[in-house]
């Protein structure tokens, strides 16, 4: 098992200080770039519709992440409810928009972390964690006291505030962010995230600064580093080539990208004239060609689309 970086901060007392500082942000919330400035401690809620209790939809072993994350024993995944985004095509809309889940305090969240360690998972995989960073840090302090030793995976939309990421410096071992779009207008129309591209680029640079590219142990399991996800979308709403070009030029082609093909029209996308169909094999193949064009040397692809669609974009 890798020695997680947050234990160093816990042993010096810095982790508790970070948790306290993050909790204070809830009084005038700027945890994410939506910058709602609501007092979540007083019961006010903003875009994420969340207060001081974390909302957990599920916590269990997950075997369908990228191979270095799931490994042989699975990732210890905690799915959080609600989200700072409003993706019209979200496949987990009952969680992200409906807020499905249990409301828990830091002690219960810490118990969930320890439960996943007992299940012998490779890591703690925190899914949609951004709006609950203060709660996660508070729970982490408690869990460390009780013997938590799992590396931390921060599995997010890539829409972060720099100040929040700085609170996570030395806490997170593996960053697993999205880079969803190369165009702010598409991001706003389909995900209601203002200035997504600007914030995403700052996010990816800071994550790379903190942890560098993905590092694997002798068994091929992620120990530390950055792995970026990109979902290829119909009609190139995601702007895939420009996303990949930016990553290659700014972070380097050795930065691994997981190029995902599983788009389908969920939730409100079924009524969207652009997004109301599955991705075609031709569209995904164009994205694969962009990976080659920019000489990426690491990452993951999903070529299962060929089994269901060998047509053109039409």
């Amino acid at each position: 098992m890798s020695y997680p970086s947050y234990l160093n901060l816990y042993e010096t007392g810095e982790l508790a200080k970070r948790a306290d500082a993050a909790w204070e942000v809830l009084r005038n919330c700027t945890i994410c770039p939506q910058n709602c400035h609501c007092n979540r401690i007083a019961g006010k809620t903003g875009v994420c519709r969340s207060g001081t209790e974390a909302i957990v939809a599920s916590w269990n072993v997950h075997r369908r992440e990228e191979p270095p994350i799931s490994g042989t024993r699975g990732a210890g995944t905690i799915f959080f409810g609600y989200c700072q985004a409003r993706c019209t095509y979200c496949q987990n809309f009952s969680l992200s928009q409906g807020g499905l889940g249990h409301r828990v305090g830091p002690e219960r969240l810490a118990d969930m972390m320890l439960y996943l360690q007992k299940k012998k998972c490779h890591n703690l995989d925190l899914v949609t964690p951004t709006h609950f960073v203060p709660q996660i840090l508070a729970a982490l302090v408690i869990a460390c006291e009780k013997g938590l030793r799992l590396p931390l995976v921060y599995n997010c939309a890539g829409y972060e505030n720099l100040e929040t990421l700085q609170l996570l410096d030395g806490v997170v071992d593996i960053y697993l962010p999205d880079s969803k779009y190369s165009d702010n207008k598409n991001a706003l129309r389909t995900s209601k995230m203002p200035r997504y591209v600007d914030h995403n680029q700052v996010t990816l640079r800071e994550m790379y600064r903190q942890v560098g590219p993905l590092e694997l142990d002798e068994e091929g399991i992620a120990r530390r580093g950055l792995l970026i996800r990109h979902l290829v979308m119909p009609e190139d709403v995601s702007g895939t080539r420009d996303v990949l070009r930016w990553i290659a030029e700014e972070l380097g082609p050795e930065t691994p990208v997981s190029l995902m093909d599983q788009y389908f029209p969920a939730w409100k996308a079924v009524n969207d004239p652009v997004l109301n169909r599955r991705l075609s094999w031709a569209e995904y193949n164009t994205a694969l060609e962009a990976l080659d064009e920019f000489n990426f040397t690491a990452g993951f692809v999903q070529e299962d689309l060929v089994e269901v669609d060998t047509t053109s974009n039409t």
Side-chain angles (χ1 to χ4, degrees):
M1 182 187 299
S2 301
Y3 186 84
S5 58
Y6 58 77
L7 288 178
N8 294 320
L9 298 181
Y10 169 71
E11 290 165 0
T12 63
E14 176 63 19
L15 184 61
K17 292 179 181 178
R18 299 270 188 96
D20 290 342
W23 201 267
E24 284 302 305
V25 178
L26 295 177
R27 297 185 186 277
N28 184 34
C29 192
T30 55
I31 290 293
C32 85
Q34 297 285 4
N35 292 322
C36 297
H37 292 283
C38 61
N39 188 342
R40 291 170 60 181
I41 291 176
K44 306 294 183 181
T45 61
V47 171
C48 73
R49 290 172 282 182
S50 304
T52 57
E53 291 181 306
I55 300 171
V56 177
S58 68
W59 61 103
N60 216 327
V61 181
H62 188 45
R63 303 184 185 278
R64 299 193 64 185
E65 303 285 35
E66 286 77 4
I69 306 298
S70 291
T72 56
R73 300 195 303 272
T77 302
I78 300 178
F79 282 93
F80 291 97
Y82 283 137
C83 183
Q84 78 271 37
R86 291 285 187 275
C87 297
T88 58
Y89 51 88
C90 183
Q91 297 171 9
N92 292 319
F93 62 90
S94 61
L95 281 62
S96 65
Q97 309 308 320
L100 179 69
H102 306 271
R103 295 181 181 272
V104 300
E107 294 82 3
R108 180 70 180 111
L109 184 55
D111 288 342
M112 293 173 180
M113 296 175 176
L114 292 163
Y115 166 80
L116 293 168
Q117 180 167 275
K118 290 179 181 178
K119 299 287 284 187
K120 301 188 183 302
C121 296
H122 291 290
N123 49 58
L124 280 178
D125 180 16
L126 307 176
V127 182
T128 320
T130 303
H131 52 306
F132 290 130
V133 163
Q135 292 85 343
I136 290 167
L137 289 174
L140 200 58
V141 172
I142 297 169
C144 285
E145 293 171 357
K146 297 181 178 180
L148 185 70
R149 295 295 183 270
L150 288 181
L152 205 65
V153 179
Y154 192 82
N155 185 340
C156 67
Y159 189 59
E160 309 290 318
N161 263 348
L162 180 59
E163 294 78 8
T164 301
L165 287 176
Q166 289 169 343
L167 289 171
L168 295 172
D169 190 2
V171 176
V172 172
D173 300 281
I174 301 153
Y175 280 110
L176 187 58
D178 293 332
S179 187
K180 291 181 179 291
Y181 305 99
S182 64
D183 181 87
N184 279 327
K185 291 182 180 178
N186 283 342
L188 187 61
R189 185 182 81 83
T190 61
S191 290
K192 301 297 184 291
M193 289 188 285
R195 297 179 56 220
Y196 176 85
V197 178
D198 310 78
H199 288 290
N200 184 245
Q201 292 177 357
V202 170
T203 291
L204 298 183
R205 284 194 181 102
E206 175 63 13
M207 290 177 171
Y208 187 90
R209 184 196 68 78
Q210 289 185 20
V211 298
L214 199 66
E215 299 175 11
L216 309 181
D217 66 15
E218 62 279 0
E219 297 178 354
I221 307 302
R223 295 188 306 178
R224 180 178 175 84
L226 172 65
L227 169 58
I228 301 171
R229 284 174 167 170
H230 177 73
L231 177 67
V232 185
M233 296 176 66
E235 304 297 333
D236 198 31
V237 168
S238 48
T240 296
R241 184 179 182 278
D242 286 340
V243 168
L244 296 177
R245 177 187 56 77
W246 186 90
I247 295 170
E249 292 178 356
E250 298 295 326
L251 304 181
E254 73 281 359
T255 304
V257 174
S258 179
L259 197 65
M260 301 184 294
D261 70 357
Q262 67 258 38
Y263 177 86
F264 67 86
W267 202 40
K268 293 182 179 180
V270 296
N271 297 316
D272 188 302
V274 177
L275 299 176
N276 65 354
R277 64 171 175 84
R278 289 199 58 145
L279 186 72
S280 73
W281 167 246
E283 288 170 317
Y284 188 66
N285 192 55
T286 298
L288 294 174
E289 291 171 352
L291 274 181
D292 291 336
E293 177 185 354
F294 297 117
N295 300 310
F296 279 90
T297 58
F300 304 91
V301 298
Q302 299 171 312
E303 299 187 52
D304 52 300
L305 252 183
V306 71
E307 299 176 7
V308 296
D309 185 359
T310 56
T311 66
S312 67
N313 294 11
T314 59

